[in-house]
């Protein structure tokens, strides 16, 4: 079987509508400790990359001289980064999210945060805080991106990345380091990988479905096994990357091409060789299924299988081979 050229063309698609539920049913009391803020019906807002998402924050009443502050909790350093502050009349944006955020403000009690063109790094926990002297109160919400986690290592073998190199490698493959929650969810959905890898908070783990001797022994139960926090400069492992849906299309073009010829063929089509994260995204969200290997941007050759069969690797589960 000869390597075939894998092309990734990014066609712009319309983003899904904004999402978020904020209205409290009639007669439902406010949770203890919340005098001015409504508790949202759902603490998690689900979205995809490129969409517009709204995180609900609605006031029951308007106290005097109040402010509402939105911030995001970053798992890599456990700090809260301010996004926007408003007093109901004026507002100010802060930080890297500044160009893509605004207050929905559909009525005078509405302080909900709208994020446009949602990016991979936007996933996480957000806090809406009412600042009102001694009566400060807040609610927490989670923005969840539908996506896929994949293990990644360089072509020269396993355990070559320190933390910063792993973070950079994921970003180069149209993804980012996965969070623990993303890795855990991937494990529950069948991710089984014996090599340990970095995740976003600087800890190292590996997910095991089928206990076996080379992966800690047969006696250990399945689970996400951990090495804990490691030295981000000195210790070396693989990476667990996370990517979400593409605003484009990944497709194959047949040809007996070396890597350089593949790159030129892509440019001739007004496209680019797909990155590893883009191939996983196409496999996950578009059910891309090809039995022939194709070049990817990092120089590796892979093929996506949505329907496992004997002559396409022989493995019983779907995946990117």
């Amino acid at each position: 079987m000869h390597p075939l050229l894998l092309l990734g063309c990014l066609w712009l698609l319309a983003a899904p509508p904004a999402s978020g539920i904020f209205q409290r049913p009639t007669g439902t009391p406010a949770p203890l400790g919340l005098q001015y803020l409504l508790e949202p019906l759902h603490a998690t807002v689900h979205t995809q990359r490129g969409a517009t998402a709204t995180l609900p924050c609605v006031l029951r009443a308007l106290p005097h001289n109040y402010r509402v502050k939105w911030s995001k909790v970053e798992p890599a350093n456990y700090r809260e980064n301010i996004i926007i502050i408003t007093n109901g009349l004026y507002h100010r944006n802060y930080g890297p999210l500044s160009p893509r955020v605004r207050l929905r403000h559909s009525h005078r009690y509405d302080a909900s945060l709208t994020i446009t063109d949602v990016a991979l790094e936007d996933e996480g926990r957000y806090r809406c805080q009412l600042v009102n002297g001694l009566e400060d109160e807040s609610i927490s919400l989670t923005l969840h991106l539908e996506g896929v986690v994949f293990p990644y290592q360089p072509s020269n073998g396993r355990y070559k990345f320190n933390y910063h190199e792993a973070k950079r490698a994921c970003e180069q493959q149209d993804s980012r380091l996965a969070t623990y929650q993303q890795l855990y969810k991937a494990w529950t959905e069948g991710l089984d990988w014996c090599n340990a890898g970095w995740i976003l908070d600087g800890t190292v783990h590996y997910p095991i479905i089928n206990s076996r001797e080379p992966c800690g022994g047969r006696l250990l139960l399945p689970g996400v096994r951990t090495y804990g926090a490691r030295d981000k400069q000195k210790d070396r492992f693989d990476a667990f990357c996370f990517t979400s849906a593409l605003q484009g299309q990944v497709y194959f073009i047949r040809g007996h091409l070396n890597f350089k010829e593949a790159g030129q063929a892509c440019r001739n089509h007004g496209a680019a060789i797909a990155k590893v994260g883009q191939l996983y995204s196409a496999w996950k969200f578009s059910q891309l299924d090809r039995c022939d290997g194709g070049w990817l941007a990092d120089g590796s050759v892979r093929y996506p299988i949505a329907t496992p069969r004997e002559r396409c690797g022989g493995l019983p589960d779907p995946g990117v081979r």
Side-chain angles (χ1 to χ4, degrees), residues 9 39 41 47 57 61 65 85 110 124 128 131 133 135 145-146 153 243 246 251 286 288 294 297 309 315:
C9 305
E39 185 78 11
L41 287 182
T47 188
C57 184
N65 300 319
I85 297 178
D110 186 12
C128 177
V131 181
E135 299 178 310
L145 269 69
E146 301 297 334
Q153 60 182 224
T243 192
L246 281 174
Y251 60 93
S286 302
L288 185 63
R309 45 206 186 273
L315 297 178

Side-chain angles (χ1 to χ4, degrees), residues 158-212:
R158 71 173 190 165
Y159 295 173
K160 302 295 183 181
F161 296 135
N162 66 24
Y163 173 81
H164 306 287
E165 292 165 343
K167 184 173 183 291
R168 191 158 52 246
C170 288
E171 291 167 354
Q172 289 170 347
Q173 297 307 315
D174 192 50
S175 59
R176 70 183 301 228
L177 278 174
T179 64
Y180 181 81
Q181 290 78 10
Q182 290 165 344
L183 181 62
Y184 184 87
K185 182 174 184 291
W187 169 71
T188 65
E189 295 172 348
L191 181 60
D192 183 283
W193 197 255
C194 202
N195 294 345
W198 293 101
I199 63 172
L200 187 60
D201 64 2
T203 57
V204 175
H205 310 266
Y206 63 103
I208 294 296
I209 297 290
N210 303 306
S211 298
R212 50 202 187 273

